[in-house]
């Protein structure tokens, strides 16, 4: 079964109509070129250096579990982790046709032109399933790599069974000279009491438009911890993952965004508190330099539970722009929602203080940016924790 | 005794205001020099002028360990060992006291450990706290002396180490200052104070009065006793 065959005739009609529909947020781009049939797959060697840059440790991954896609082809995948399945979405559909029931349930294929392109032309993507009660220490590492450019629209499914604890590290990157559109679809299901730690790094190039679409359903008492990090220049990037939290489910979402060059970035997250004792915390730290424009959004809404939104921005140049858009929506008396937002610049007083102790101006600024980015890390296990810390350091260095 | 630091014809301006009208002095080896004066006399600006603080425009010449510092930026002066210990410290978001001390120890090459200076200044309980956030007056001063120790100054210029601190903190800060002196190659230090409180524990070897932007007269330790008895407006021969 191909991905396209998952769509019902009625969905197909809606999807075709959605090809002209801009996304709610972010700059509108022309997707018509990406609808053309693709040429043959690129004959490429995997550029391991570029892959290392997004934190994927292939040597380690070969001993645990990984998935790698180049352009639209799932090129390698395997799992040596007991109770953890990793395969291409095509293989998953072939082996278990009922996997198709998980596709386009949390993301509407007709949501906008990017989901529509993905629905019509998408290929590849991973299927990761963690069996009931299995606790992962090391993450599955997945890498979505664009080499020849054009369209990359994988469809990823993560399914975490009851009480299991999954860890996934995803790095997405492109060869620097390539141009293209990445419209990855990711749908995540957590059964009762399951947990997912999900770390994603984006390292695109100035020729890439990026429109990932993500939907997450956290069942009763489930927990989602997600860290999203953007390090590199990108042409345009817009994403707004949606989380549905059932009774007692919890979300901790952190976005660390560096706007560089003339990047236009619009990143957010939305949590719907769908059950009692549900709790969502959405944090973002944005650093904008050069002539970048970054919008950080966050919305928590619902009738139950607690939510907190925190958007903090740091502007490092006279022309960079940051917008923080925290939103709260409550229905009834059963919900408590709070938010905090601030945008500022580096403190000259703090820079001078550090310079008076012997740091160069660049070092002082880098210390302050690193501090600004220093959100608390929940327990992600040693490998993911070290990885996120390292990325924070890289980000602070890249910001100055 | 060799001069560690000299200021010749020093004038300092912040924005449009001339704050330091005239300062001409030297710090010799083994000297604990007190600069005392009322609030607003220009003492802190004088220290900032000596270290090349941004935003302070300076005329005149500062020589440190025989080297003319004219035009040398503050961070380079600090790396040469001329360290300002601040009256107030800024908050540095997301950076703990421990991290900052360790970074300063690294950049200065002092090899000082955070634990060692934390024990000395009794700030172990603050090591994991965000730098400058919610500290009491005494905690702030103790942390700043700890950071200054980690920078291993050849000459520390310590601004108001005793303002707003209780006796317990003053004793600890004094021990920290004595350690800064012990570890400096010339065994010298400059302390700015308007209360003179700390001089009970770190006795001066020489005292200069600063009034309305003018430094001097300078004299022996007895001058501080007189100032503390009679106030800053005393006539000095």
């Amino acid at each position: 079964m191909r991905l396209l065959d998952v769509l019902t005739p009625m969905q197909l009609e809606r999807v075709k109509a959605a090809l002209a529909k801009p996304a709610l947020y972010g700059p509108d781009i022309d997707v018509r070129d990406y609808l053309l049939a693709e040429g043959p797959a690129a004959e490429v060697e995997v550029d391991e250096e570029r892959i290392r840059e997004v934190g994927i440790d292939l040597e380690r991954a070969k001993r645990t579990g990984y998935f790698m896609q180049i352009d639209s082809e799932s090129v390698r995948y395997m799992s040596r982790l007991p109770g953890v399945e990793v395969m291409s979405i095509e293989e998953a559909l072939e082996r278990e046709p009922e996997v198709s029931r998980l596709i386009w349930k949390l993301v509407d294929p007709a949501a906008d032109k990017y989901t529509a392109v993905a629905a019509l032309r998408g290929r590849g993507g991973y299927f990761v399933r963690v069996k009931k009660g299995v606790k992962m220490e090391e993450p599955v590492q997945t890498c979505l790599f664009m080499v020849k450019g054009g369209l990359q629209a994988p469809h990823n499914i993560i399914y975490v069974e009851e009480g299991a604890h999954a860890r996934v590290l995803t790095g997405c990157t492109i060869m620097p000279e390539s141009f293209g559109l990445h419209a990855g679809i990711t749908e995540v299901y957590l059964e009762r009491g399951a947990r997912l730690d999900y770390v994603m790094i984006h390292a695109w190039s100035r020729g890439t438009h990026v429109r990932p679409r993500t939907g997450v359903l956290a069942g009763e008492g489930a927990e989602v911890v997600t860290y999203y990090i953007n390090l590199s220049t990108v042409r345009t990037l817009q994403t707004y993952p949606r989380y549905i939290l059932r009774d007692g489910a919890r979300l901790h979402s952190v976005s660390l965004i560096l706007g560089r060059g003339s990047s236009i970035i619009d990143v957010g997250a939305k949590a719907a508190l769908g059950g009692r004792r549900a709790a969502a915390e959405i944090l973002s730290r944005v650093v904008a330099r050069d002539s970048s424009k970054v919008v950080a959004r966050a919305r928590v809404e619902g009738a139950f539970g607690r939510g907190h939104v925190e958007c903090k921005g740091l502007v490092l140049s006279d022309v960079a722009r940051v917008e923080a858009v925290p939103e709260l929506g409550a229905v009834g008396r059963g919900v408590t929602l709070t938010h905090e937002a601030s945008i500022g610049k580096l403190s000259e007083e703090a820079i001078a203080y550090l310079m008076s102790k012997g740091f160069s101006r660049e070092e002082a600024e880098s210390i302050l940016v690193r501090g600004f980015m220093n959100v608390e890390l929940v327990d992600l296990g040693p490998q993911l924790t070290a990885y996120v810390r390292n990325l924070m350091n890289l980000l602070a260095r890249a910001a100055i | 005794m060799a001069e560690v630091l000299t200021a010749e014809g020093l004038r300092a301006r912040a924005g449009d205001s001339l704050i330091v009208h005239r300062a001409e002095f030297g710090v010799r080896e083994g000297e604990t020099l007190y600069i005392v004066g009322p609030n607003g006399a220009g003492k802190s600006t004088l220290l900032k002028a000596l270290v090349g603080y941004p935003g302070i425009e300076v005329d005149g010449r500062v020589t440190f360990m025989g080297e003319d510092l004219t035009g040398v930026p503050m961070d380079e002066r600090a790396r040469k060992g001329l360290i300002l210990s601040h009256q107030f410290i800024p908050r540095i978001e997301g950076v703990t006291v421990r991290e900052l001390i360790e970074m300063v120890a690294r950049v200065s090459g002092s090899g000082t450990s955070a634990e060692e200076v934390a024990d000395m200044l009794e700030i172990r309980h603050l090591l994991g706290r965000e730098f400058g956030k919610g500290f009491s007056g005494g905690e702030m001063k103790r942390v700043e002396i700890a950071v200054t120790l980690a920078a291993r100054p050849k000459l520390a210029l310590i601004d108001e180490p005793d303002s707003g601190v209780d006796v317990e903190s003053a004793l600890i800060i004094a021990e920290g200052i004595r350690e800064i002196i012990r570890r400096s190659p010339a065994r010298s230090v400059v302390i700015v104070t308007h209360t003179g409180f700390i001089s009970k524990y770190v006795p001066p070897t020489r005292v200069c009065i600063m009034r309305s932007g003018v430094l001097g007269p300078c004299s022996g330790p007895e001058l501080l006793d007189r100032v503390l008895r009679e106030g800053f407006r005393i006539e000095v021969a």
Side-chain angles (χ1 to χ4, degrees), chain A residues 15-262:
Chain A
V15 163
K16 284 179 180 164
L19 280 171
K21 187 176 166 189
L24 193 54
Y25 303 122
D28 189 34
I29 62 166
D30 188 347
V31 297
R32 282 173 299 187
D33 285 352
Y34 300 109
L35 287 168
L36 302 173
E38 286 176 68
E43 293 285 328
V44 287
E45 281 298 306
V46 175
D47 182 342
E48 299 204 357
E49 186 48 44
R50 186 82 184 158
I51 286 168
R52 260 194 299 277
E53 279 171 25
V54 291
I56 303 297
D57 179 348
L58 280 174
E59 283 314 304
R60 192 167 186 139
K62 283 171 194 161
R63 299 193 299 269
T64 53
Y66 73 100
F67 170 89
M68 183 181 298
Q69 173 158 340
I70 295 179
D71 296 321
S72 289
E73 306 297 321
S74 310
V75 291
R76 298 182 201 162
Y77 49 87
M78 53 133 276
S79 171
R80 291 212 165 98
L81 299 161
V84 180
E85 295 172 333
V86 178
M87 64 190 90
S88 71
I89 195 76
E90 284 90 356
E91 186 181 332
L93 282 167
E94 202 167 295
R95 279 209 216 167
E96 292 181 55
E98 59 270 32
V99 166
S100 67
R101 288 197 219 131
L102 304 174
I103 292 180
W104 297 120
K105 290 297 178 292
L106 302 176
V107 175
D108 177 3
D112 57 36
K113 58 172 71 170
Y114 312 104
T115 55
V117 167
L120 295 173
R121 284 276 170 228
R123 274 168 47 205
Y126 55 78
F127 176 79
V128 172
R129 179 163 50 197
V130 182
K131 298 286 193 183
K132 185 174 174 178
V134 169
K135 311 279 186 201
M136 291 171 67
E137 268 300 315
E138 297 245 353
V140 166
Q141 304 191 43
T142 73
C143 178
L144 302 165
F145 194 13
M146 289 175 78
V147 173
K148 70 181 166 89
L151 175 70
Q152 184 183 56
H155 201 119
N156 308 310
I157 301 284
I158 299 174
Y159 196 96
V160 191
E161 292 185 0
E162 187 175 335
H165 185 164
R167 286 189 163 132
V168 177
L169 167 59
T170 290
C172 299
T173 189
I174 188 167
M175 290 303 280
E177 64 278 11
S178 298
F179 289 77
L181 169 67
H182 172 87
I185 309 295
T186 303
E187 294 180 278
V188 178
Y189 297 84
L190 288 97
E191 288 186 353
R192 177 201 297 257
R195 170 166 165 170
L196 171 66
D197 300 334
Y198 184 74
V199 176
M200 179 186 238
I201 171 168
H202 274 172
W204 301 107
S205 72
R206 62 194 162 83
T208 337
H209 297 287
V210 182
R211 297 293 185 279
R213 298 293 182 255
T214 303
V216 178
L217 175 64
E220 213 174 295
E223 190 175 357
V224 187
V225 175
T226 159
Y227 286 80
Y228 169 72
I229 294 146
N230 182 67
L231 269 183
S232 311
T233 305
V234 64
R235 194 155 168 203
T236 69
L237 186 161
Q238 187 268 319
T239 186
Y240 194 59
R242 281 141 205 263
Y243 299 85
I244 300 165
L245 307 176
R246 300 282 192 232
D247 267 8
R250 286 184 293 167
L251 165 68
H252 180 77
S253 160
V254 178
S255 301
L256 305 175
I257 311 293
L258 173 62
R260 303 172 80 168
S262 54

Side-chain angles (χ1 to χ4, degrees), chain A residues 26 40 90 165 169 195 212 232 237 285 295 308 317 346 353 367 369:
Chain A
E90 284 90 356
H165 185 164
L169 167 59
R195 170 166 165 170
S232 311
L237 186 161
R285 296 284 185 274
V295 182
H308 179 66
S317 88
L346 292 177
Y353 176 81
I367 289 168
V369 172

Side-chain angles (χ1 to χ4, degrees), chain A residues 285 312 347-361 363 367-368 370-372 374, chain B residues 53-54 74-75 78-79 83-86 89-90 92-95 100 103-104 107 131 144 147-148:
Chain A
R285 296 284 185 274
K312 288 190 177 180
S347 152
E348 283 300 324
E349 188 199 356
I351 291 170
Y353 176 81
L354 292 168
M355 289 176 72
S356 78
K357 297 295 188 273
F359 297 100
S360 68
R361 187 172 183 93
E363 287 165 340
I367 289 168
L368 297 183
R370 176 68 180 80
F372 172 79
N374 200 12
Chain B
Y53 203 86
M74 177 165 64
D75 54 319
R79 288 196 294 275
I83 297 288
L84 174 63
S85 185
H86 294 244
I89 60 173
I92 300 182
E93 187 183 353
V95 176
L100 196 81
M103 285 189 284
V104 169
V107 80
F131 191 82
E144 178 58 356
V147 173
T148 305

